[in-house]
Amino acid sequence: QKEVEQDPGPLSVPEGAIVSLNCTYSNSAFQYFMWYRQYSRKGPELLMYTYSSGNKEDGRFTAQVDKSSKYISLFIRDSQPSDSATYLCAMRRGDTGRRALTFGSGTRLQVQP
Amino acid sequence: DGGITQSPKYLFRKEGQNVTLSCEQNLNHDAMYWYRQDPGQGLRLIYYSQIVNDFQKGDIAEGYSVSREKKESFPLTVTSAQKNPTAFYLCASSTGNTIYFGEGSWLTVV
């Protein structure tokens, strides 16, 4: 079983829809959670970074973390065709161990105009 | 401009050859990483380095080697021992809890 599970999609929505992307994880040592957006043939870019359980909002994006359920989400409001990309969740340990990120497999999102 | 520069963008390798991918950063970050991404897959960690002259194996280090002689540079060598090297390779660096990526290098075995 993978440490981080993410539905690969593809997820197709109409422009203006609310998008919900999710990841589950099994390692309770993960304490820091990120969402990256990756356009085709490009490097991932950091969208959101969260530490504690709860919600964090940045413009049209909201990241949600539920550590008790080992479940994280990214919501995109008023989705735009330019949001069409692959979204990767990532997380890392909170102790002094390995600081590298562990990634989900990514969800491909297509926003139809 | 500050950032992470990977070169070359595209590279073709013949079977049995070693190739080296370059990664340079001018962000003054201590930690650097190499990830591999296969089509439709997430990123898998090859090697990482927390400080100069020190590096650790990641989850898929077999067939790869690295060096970290300078803070700014973390080259990755894909050796002939790597049985399936065709992939997208991503270099990253970090400060604190966030990791930033370069634009990637595409390696194809011909």
Side-chain angles (χ1 to χ4, degrees):
Chain A
Q1 184 187 4
K2 293 181 180 179
E3 281 190 296
V4 181
E5 298 280 356
Q6 185 176 7
D7 187 336
L11 179 62
S12 183
V13 301
E15 184 175 354
I18 297 174
V19 175
S20 172
L21 305 167
N22 310 294
C23 287
T24 59
Y25 62 96
S26 57
N27 190 345
S28 58
F30 289 140
Q31 297 292 318
Y32 299 93
F33 305 92
M34 295 108 195
W35 285 95
Y36 285 83
R37 178 174 62 195
Q38 186 178 26
Y39 292 111
S40 181
R41 296 179 172 263
K42 296 288 189 180
E45 57 177 315
L46 181 65
L47 275 180
M48 299 286 285
Y49 160 73
T50 55
Y51 170 66
S52 57
S53 285
N55 294 350
K56 181 178 181 179
E57 189 174 319
D58 184 1
R60 295 185 297 112
F61 298 93
T62 299
Q64 189 174 79
V65 174
D66 182 349
K67 289 185 179 179
S68 63
S69 300
K70 296 188 179 67
Y71 188 87
I72 68 171
S73 300
L74 177 71
F75 298 97
I76 307 174
R77 290 184 299 281
D78 187 25
S79 56
Q80 303 295 309
S82 58
D83 294 328
S84 297
T86 296
Y87 290 80
L88 298 153
C89 65
M91 48 199 77
R92 77 162 185 85
R93 303 165 65 102
D95 55 19
T96 56
R98 193 172 93 169
R99 295 175 68 86
L101 294 175
T102 300
F103 282 83
S105 57
T107 299
R108 189 157 59 89
L109 171 67
Q110 184 72 34
V111 181
Q112 306 292 342
Chain B
D1 286 350
I4 302 168
T5 302
Q6 291 187 239
S7 62
K9 178 71 173 177
Y10 298 96
L11 184 61
F12 296 90
R13 188 194 94 170
K14 292 183 179 179
E15 298 240 8
Q17 280 185 338
N18 293 353
V19 294
T20 297
L21 307 180
S22 170
C23 179
E24 303 279 332
Q25 55 100 359
N26 60 5
L27 301 168
N28 200 34
H29 289 172
D30 286 316
M32 297 187 73
Y33 311 83
W34 275 105
Y35 285 88
R36 167 181 172 144
Q37 187 175 34
D38 293 283
Q41 303 292 315
L43 281 65
R44 292 184 290 167
L45 182 66
I46 304 172
Y47 268 98
Y48 65 103
S49 168
Q50 308 272 49
I51 57 172
V52 175
N53 292 322
D54 184 57
F55 49 83
Q56 306 295 326
K57 291 183 179 180
D59 301 317
I60 56 166
E62 185 175 350
Y64 300 97
S65 66
V66 294
S67 63
R68 186 84 188 279
E69 297 175 1
K70 299 188 299 181
K71 188 175 185 178
E72 303 80 21
S73 179
F74 192 39
L76 174 73
T77 296
V78 185
T79 75
S80 57
Q82 170 49 236
K83 298 305 178 189
N84 186 21
T86 295
F88 188 42
Y89 290 88
L90 286 156
C91 178
S93 68
S94 72
T95 179
N97 296 316
T98 51
I99 293 181
Y100 301 92
F101 285 86
E103 286 299 292
S105 293
W106 289 89
L107 173 62
T108 303
V109 173
V110 296

